[in-house]
Amino acid sequence: KNEVEQSPQNLTAQEGEFITINCSYSVGISALHWLQQHPGGGIVSLFMLSSGKKKHGRLIATINIQEKHSSLHITASHPRDSAVYICAVRYNTDKLIFGTGTRLQVFP
Amino acid sequence: KAGVTQTPRYLIKTRGQQVTLSCSPISGHRSVSWYQQTPGQGLQFLFEYFSETQRNKGNFPGRFSGRQFSNSRSEMNVSTLELGDSALYLCASSFGPLGDTEAFFGQGTRLTVV
């Protein structure tokens, strides 16, 4: 069983919609990362969180340590946001464990 | 400044051969970590090097090995290639140890084993 669960697995949206992607993990972590992967493979690190909330442009990431849950929000979605979004957590073993990813398609 | 550079971008090898992949981190970064991505297993951590020392290793057989040089460049080697080793291999660099600071990923090396 994957120690990091993401939902939904696939998501389609119309341009302008508000999008939420969820990530849950099983035990205490020291950090959580949100990554974006476009077709072709390149990965971009969006956020690294250990508590609270971070915002960058139209992207917002939150983490609730007590509930072992993080969300990635995209406001005013755009077709260029179409990508796979991956949650990764760092447990005390220092290894990064990845979720299975959420494939997002935003249509004009 | 230049990003993380992985070479080669594409590679085709035959079963039983060995392969070496290279990763040049962002200047000043001391941590390099490697990952394997396959359609079936998703992204999996291979290992991390920090200041020329392996800090962590994922659950991969001993055929997978790596090293880091004094200039922080890292190489990953896979010996006795199997068909299942076909994957996208990604490396990431960070200033501090993996997880403590933001990681920057390369474009990956797509390895096909035939």
PDB file of all heavy atoms in Angstrom, chain B residues 1-2 24-32 50-51 68 70-73 93-96 101:
ATOM      1  N   LYS B   1      20.866  31.195 -13.468  1.00  0.00           N
ATOM      2  CA  LYS B   1      21.931  30.208 -13.454  1.00  0.00           C
ATOM      3  C   LYS B   1      21.439  28.917 -14.098  1.00  0.00           C
ATOM      4  O   LYS B   1      20.249  28.683 -14.192  1.00  0.00           O
ATOM      5  CB  LYS B   1      22.406  29.957 -12.020  1.00  0.00           C
ATOM      6  CG  LYS B   1      21.339  29.500 -11.048  1.00  0.00           C
ATOM      7  CD  LYS B   1      21.939  29.395  -9.653  1.00  0.00           C
ATOM      8  CE  LYS B   1      20.869  29.031  -8.643  1.00  0.00           C
ATOM      9  NZ  LYS B   1      21.404  28.993  -7.289  1.00  0.00           N
ATOM     10  N   ALA B   2      22.380  28.092 -14.554  1.00  0.00           N
ATOM     11  CA  ALA B   2      22.016  26.875 -15.261  1.00  0.00           C
ATOM     12  C   ALA B   2      21.296  25.939 -14.305  1.00  0.00           C
ATOM     13  O   ALA B   2      21.546  25.896 -13.100  1.00  0.00           O
ATOM     14  CB  ALA B   2      23.280  26.213 -15.806  1.00  0.00           C
ATOM     15  N   SER B  24      24.505  16.717 -13.611  1.00  0.00           N
ATOM     16  CA  SER B  24      25.266  17.884 -13.147  1.00  0.00           C
ATOM     17  C   SER B  24      24.313  18.799 -12.388  1.00  0.00           C
ATOM     18  O   SER B  24      23.354  19.315 -12.977  1.00  0.00           O
ATOM     19  CB  SER B  24      25.880  18.620 -14.330  1.00  0.00           C
ATOM     20  OG  SER B  24      26.864  17.843 -14.949  1.00  0.00           O
ATOM     21  N   PRO B  25      24.547  18.991 -11.104  1.00  0.00           N
ATOM     22  CA  PRO B  25      23.618  19.790 -10.296  1.00  0.00           C
ATOM     23  C   PRO B  25      23.796  21.276 -10.544  1.00  0.00           C
ATOM     24  O   PRO B  25      24.733  21.705 -11.215  1.00  0.00           O
ATOM     25  CB  PRO B  25      24.022  19.435  -8.865  1.00  0.00           C
ATOM     26  CG  PRO B  25      25.487  19.138  -8.966  1.00  0.00           C
ATOM     27  CD  PRO B  25      25.672  18.486 -10.307  1.00  0.00           C
ATOM     28  N   ILE B  26      22.895  22.031  -9.982  1.00  0.00           N
ATOM     29  CA  ILE B  26      23.015  23.479 -10.009  1.00  0.00           C
ATOM     30  C   ILE B  26      24.262  23.871  -9.229  1.00  0.00           C
ATOM     31  O   ILE B  26      24.566  23.271  -8.182  1.00  0.00           O
ATOM     32  CB  ILE B  26      21.758  24.130  -9.401  1.00  0.00           C
ATOM     33  CG1 ILE B  26      20.570  23.917 -10.332  1.00  0.00           C
ATOM     34  CG2 ILE B  26      21.966  25.602  -9.117  1.00  0.00           C
ATOM     35  CD1 ILE B  26      19.238  24.334  -9.761  1.00  0.00           C
ATOM     36  N   SER B  27      24.983  24.859  -9.735  1.00  0.00           N
ATOM     37  CA  SER B  27      26.210  25.280  -9.088  1.00  0.00           C
ATOM     38  C   SER B  27      25.963  25.638  -7.625  1.00  0.00           C
ATOM     39  O   SER B  27      25.033  26.385  -7.299  1.00  0.00           O
ATOM     40  CB  SER B  27      26.771  26.502  -9.836  1.00  0.00           C
ATOM     41  OG  SER B  27      27.936  26.970  -9.215  1.00  0.00           O
ATOM     42  N   GLY B  28      26.777  25.070  -6.743  1.00  0.00           N
ATOM     43  CA  GLY B  28      26.639  25.341  -5.317  1.00  0.00           C
ATOM     44  C   GLY B  28      25.804  24.309  -4.577  1.00  0.00           C
ATOM     45  O   GLY B  28      25.840  24.249  -3.340  1.00  0.00           O
ATOM     46  N   HIS B  29      25.054  23.515  -5.306  1.00  0.00           N
ATOM     47  CA  HIS B  29      24.255  22.465  -4.656  1.00  0.00           C
ATOM     48  C   HIS B  29      25.139  21.278  -4.329  1.00  0.00           C
ATOM     49  O   HIS B  29      25.952  20.846  -5.153  1.00  0.00           O
ATOM     50  CB  HIS B  29      23.118  22.027  -5.572  1.00  0.00           C
ATOM     51  CG  HIS B  29      21.993  23.007  -5.611  1.00  0.00           C
ATOM     52  ND1 HIS B  29      20.767  22.697  -6.175  1.00  0.00           N
ATOM     53  CD2 HIS B  29      21.887  24.287  -5.161  1.00  0.00           C
ATOM     54  CE1 HIS B  29      19.959  23.745  -6.060  1.00  0.00           C
ATOM     55  NE2 HIS B  29      20.625  24.720  -5.457  1.00  0.00           N
ATOM     56  N   ARG B  30      24.960  20.718  -3.138  1.00  0.00           N
ATOM     57  CA  ARG B  30      25.787  19.600  -2.711  1.00  0.00           C
ATOM     58  C   ARG B  30      25.050  18.268  -2.660  1.00  0.00           C
ATOM     59  O   ARG B  30      25.651  17.224  -2.493  1.00  0.00           O
ATOM     60  CB  ARG B  30      26.389  19.907  -1.338  1.00  0.00           C
ATOM     61  CG  ARG B  30      27.384  21.067  -1.359  1.00  0.00           C
ATOM     62  CD  ARG B  30      28.018  21.284   0.002  1.00  0.00           C
ATOM     63  NE  ARG B  30      27.044  21.696   0.993  1.00  0.00           N
ATOM     64  CZ  ARG B  30      27.258  21.646   2.301  1.00  0.00           C
ATOM     65  NH1 ARG B  30      28.388  21.183   2.777  1.00  0.00           N
ATOM     66  NH2 ARG B  30      26.320  22.060   3.139  1.00  0.00           N
ATOM     67  N   SER B  31      23.726  18.330  -2.777  1.00  0.00           N
ATOM     68  CA  SER B  31      22.944  17.093  -2.725  1.00  0.00           C
ATOM     69  C   SER B  31      22.439  16.732  -4.108  1.00  0.00           C
ATOM     70  O   SER B  31      21.900  17.586  -4.832  1.00  0.00           O
ATOM     71  CB  SER B  31      21.762  17.262  -1.771  1.00  0.00           C
ATOM     72  OG  SER B  31      20.871  16.166  -1.888  1.00  0.00           O
ATOM     73  N   VAL B  32      22.620  15.479  -4.481  1.00  0.00           N
ATOM     74  CA  VAL B  32      22.050  14.955  -5.716  1.00  0.00           C
ATOM     75  C   VAL B  32      21.300  13.681  -5.368  1.00  0.00           C
ATOM     76  O   VAL B  32      21.847  12.789  -4.717  1.00  0.00           O
ATOM     77  CB  VAL B  32      23.132  14.659  -6.774  1.00  0.00           C
ATOM     78  CG1 VAL B  32      22.497  13.978  -7.984  1.00  0.00           C
ATOM     79  CG2 VAL B  32      23.825  15.941  -7.207  1.00  0.00           C
ATOM     80  N   PHE B  50      25.309  13.306  -0.803  1.00  0.00           N
ATOM     81  CA  PHE B  50      25.544  14.635  -0.241  1.00  0.00           C
ATOM     82  C   PHE B  50      27.015  14.738   0.097  1.00  0.00           C
ATOM     83  O   PHE B  50      27.537  13.929   0.874  1.00  0.00           O
ATOM     84  CB  PHE B  50      24.678  14.861   1.007  1.00  0.00           C
ATOM     85  CG  PHE B  50      24.824  16.226   1.599  1.00  0.00           C
ATOM     86  CD1 PHE B  50      24.191  17.319   1.027  1.00  0.00           C
ATOM     87  CD2 PHE B  50      25.583  16.430   2.742  1.00  0.00           C
ATOM     88  CE1 PHE B  50      24.319  18.589   1.565  1.00  0.00           C
ATOM     89  CE2 PHE B  50      25.717  17.699   3.291  1.00  0.00           C
ATOM     90  CZ  PHE B  50      25.087  18.774   2.694  1.00  0.00           C
ATOM     91  N   SER B  51      27.670  15.714  -0.494  1.00  0.00           N
ATOM     92  CA  SER B  51      29.116  15.902  -0.279  1.00  0.00           C
ATOM     93  C   SER B  51      29.874  14.592  -0.455  1.00  0.00           C
ATOM     94  O   SER B  51      30.653  14.187   0.410  1.00  0.00           O
ATOM     95  CB  SER B  51      29.366  16.486   1.124  1.00  0.00           C
ATOM     96  OG  SER B  51      28.819  17.775   1.211  1.00  0.00           O
ATOM     97  N   GLN B  68      29.248  10.248  -6.339  1.00  0.00           N
ATOM     98  CA  GLN B  68      29.271  11.705  -6.499  1.00  0.00           C
ATOM     99  C   GLN B  68      30.718  12.161  -6.441  1.00  0.00           C
ATOM    100  O   GLN B  68      31.492  11.699  -5.601  1.00  0.00           O
ATOM    101  CB  GLN B  68      28.454  12.390  -5.406  1.00  0.00           C
ATOM    102  CG  GLN B  68      28.308  13.896  -5.623  1.00  0.00           C
ATOM    103  CD  GLN B  68      27.489  14.571  -4.549  1.00  0.00           C
ATOM    104  OE1 GLN B  68      27.532  14.168  -3.386  1.00  0.00           O
ATOM    105  NE2 GLN B  68      26.746  15.600  -4.918  1.00  0.00           N
ATOM    106  N   SER B  70      33.811  15.290  -6.464  1.00  0.00           N
ATOM    107  CA  SER B  70      34.084  16.456  -5.611  1.00  0.00           C
ATOM    108  C   SER B  70      33.417  17.729  -6.132  1.00  0.00           C
ATOM    109  O   SER B  70      33.175  18.670  -5.373  1.00  0.00           O
ATOM    110  CB  SER B  70      35.590  16.664  -5.468  1.00  0.00           C
ATOM    111  OG  SER B  70      36.178  16.833  -6.740  1.00  0.00           O
ATOM    112  N   ASN B  71      33.099  17.766  -7.423  1.00  0.00           N
ATOM    113  CA  ASN B  71      32.412  18.949  -7.967  1.00  0.00           C
ATOM    114  C   ASN B  71      30.889  18.795  -7.883  1.00  0.00           C
ATOM    115  O   ASN B  71      30.153  19.564  -8.495  1.00  0.00           O
ATOM    116  CB  ASN B  71      32.832  19.198  -9.413  1.00  0.00           C
ATOM    117  CG  ASN B  71      32.468  18.055 -10.343  1.00  0.00           C
ATOM    118  OD1 ASN B  71      31.940  17.029  -9.895  1.00  0.00           O
ATOM    119  ND2 ASN B  71      32.765  18.212 -11.623  1.00  0.00           N
ATOM    120  N   SER B  72      30.430  17.790  -7.147  1.00  0.00           N
ATOM    121  CA  SER B  72      29.016  17.470  -6.905  1.00  0.00           C
ATOM    122  C   SER B  72      28.321  16.774  -8.066  1.00  0.00           C
ATOM    123  O   SER B  72      27.184  16.329  -7.906  1.00  0.00           O
ATOM    124  CB  SER B  72      28.212  18.700  -6.490  1.00  0.00           C
ATOM    125  OG  SER B  72      28.620  19.151  -5.220  1.00  0.00           O
ATOM    126  N   ARG B  73      28.972  16.670  -9.209  1.00  0.00           N
ATOM    127  CA  ARG B  73      28.365  15.903 -10.299  1.00  0.00           C
ATOM    128  C   ARG B  73      28.201  14.457  -9.850  1.00  0.00           C
ATOM    129  O   ARG B  73      29.002  13.935  -9.068  1.00  0.00           O
ATOM    130  CB  ARG B  73      29.236  15.974 -11.551  1.00  0.00           C
ATOM    131  CG  ARG B  73      28.583  15.380 -12.803  1.00  0.00           C
ATOM    132  CD  ARG B  73      29.507  15.521 -14.020  1.00  0.00           C
ATOM    133  NE  ARG B  73      30.657  14.645 -13.946  1.00  0.00           N
ATOM    134  CZ  ARG B  73      30.663  13.381 -14.376  1.00  0.00           C
ATOM    135  NH1 ARG B  73      29.577  12.839 -14.877  1.00  0.00           N
ATOM    136  NH2 ARG B  73      31.781  12.675 -14.270  1.00  0.00           N
ATOM    137  N   SER B  93      18.770  18.144  -7.638  1.00  0.00           N
ATOM    138  CA  SER B  93      19.815  18.691  -6.779  1.00  0.00           C
ATOM    139  C   SER B  93      19.202  19.673  -5.788  1.00  0.00           C
ATOM    140  O   SER B  93      18.158  20.286  -6.049  1.00  0.00           O
ATOM    141  CB  SER B  93      20.914  19.368  -7.595  1.00  0.00           C
ATOM    142  OG  SER B  93      20.562  20.673  -8.031  1.00  0.00           O
ATOM    143  N   SER B  94      19.838  19.779  -4.640  1.00  0.00           N
ATOM    144  CA  SER B  94      19.414  20.759  -3.647  1.00  0.00           C
ATOM    145  C   SER B  94      20.645  21.249  -2.906  1.00  0.00           C
ATOM    146  O   SER B  94      21.680  20.572  -2.878  1.00  0.00           O
ATOM    147  CB  SER B  94      18.384  20.178  -2.678  1.00  0.00           C
ATOM    148  OG  SER B  94      18.864  19.009  -2.059  1.00  0.00           O
ATOM    149  N   PHE B  95      20.496  22.425  -2.301  1.00  0.00           N
ATOM    150  CA  PHE B  95      21.652  23.000  -1.620  1.00  0.00           C
ATOM    151  C   PHE B  95      22.015  22.178  -0.394  1.00  0.00           C
ATOM    152  O   PHE B  95      23.169  21.861  -0.147  1.00  0.00           O
ATOM    153  CB  PHE B  95      21.352  24.444  -1.218  1.00  0.00           C
ATOM    154  CG  PHE B  95      22.471  25.095  -0.471  1.00  0.00           C
ATOM    155  CD1 PHE B  95      23.608  25.523  -1.142  1.00  0.00           C
ATOM    156  CD2 PHE B  95      22.410  25.261   0.903  1.00  0.00           C
ATOM    157  CE1 PHE B  95      24.660  26.100  -0.455  1.00  0.00           C
ATOM    158  CE2 PHE B  95      23.456  25.834   1.602  1.00  0.00           C
ATOM    159  CZ  PHE B  95      24.581  26.262   0.912  1.00  0.00           C
ATOM    160  N   GLY B  96      20.975  21.849   0.390  1.00  0.00           N
ATOM    161  CA  GLY B  96      21.188  21.061   1.594  1.00  0.00           C
ATOM    162  C   GLY B  96      20.741  19.631   1.375  1.00  0.00           C
ATOM    163  O   GLY B  96      20.385  19.245   0.260  1.00  0.00           O
ATOM    164  N   THR B 101      15.767  21.280   1.944  1.00  0.00           N
ATOM    165  CA  THR B 101      15.711  22.439   1.058  1.00  0.00           C
ATOM    166  C   THR B 101      15.043  22.034  -0.248  1.00  0.00           C
ATOM    167  O   THR B 101      14.942  20.846  -0.572  1.00  0.00           O
ATOM    168  CB  THR B 101      17.108  22.996   0.764  1.00  0.00           C
ATOM    169  OG1 THR B 101      17.941  21.935   0.269  1.00  0.00           O
ATOM    170  CG2 THR B 101      17.743  23.584   2.010  1.00  0.00           C
TER     171      THR B 101
END
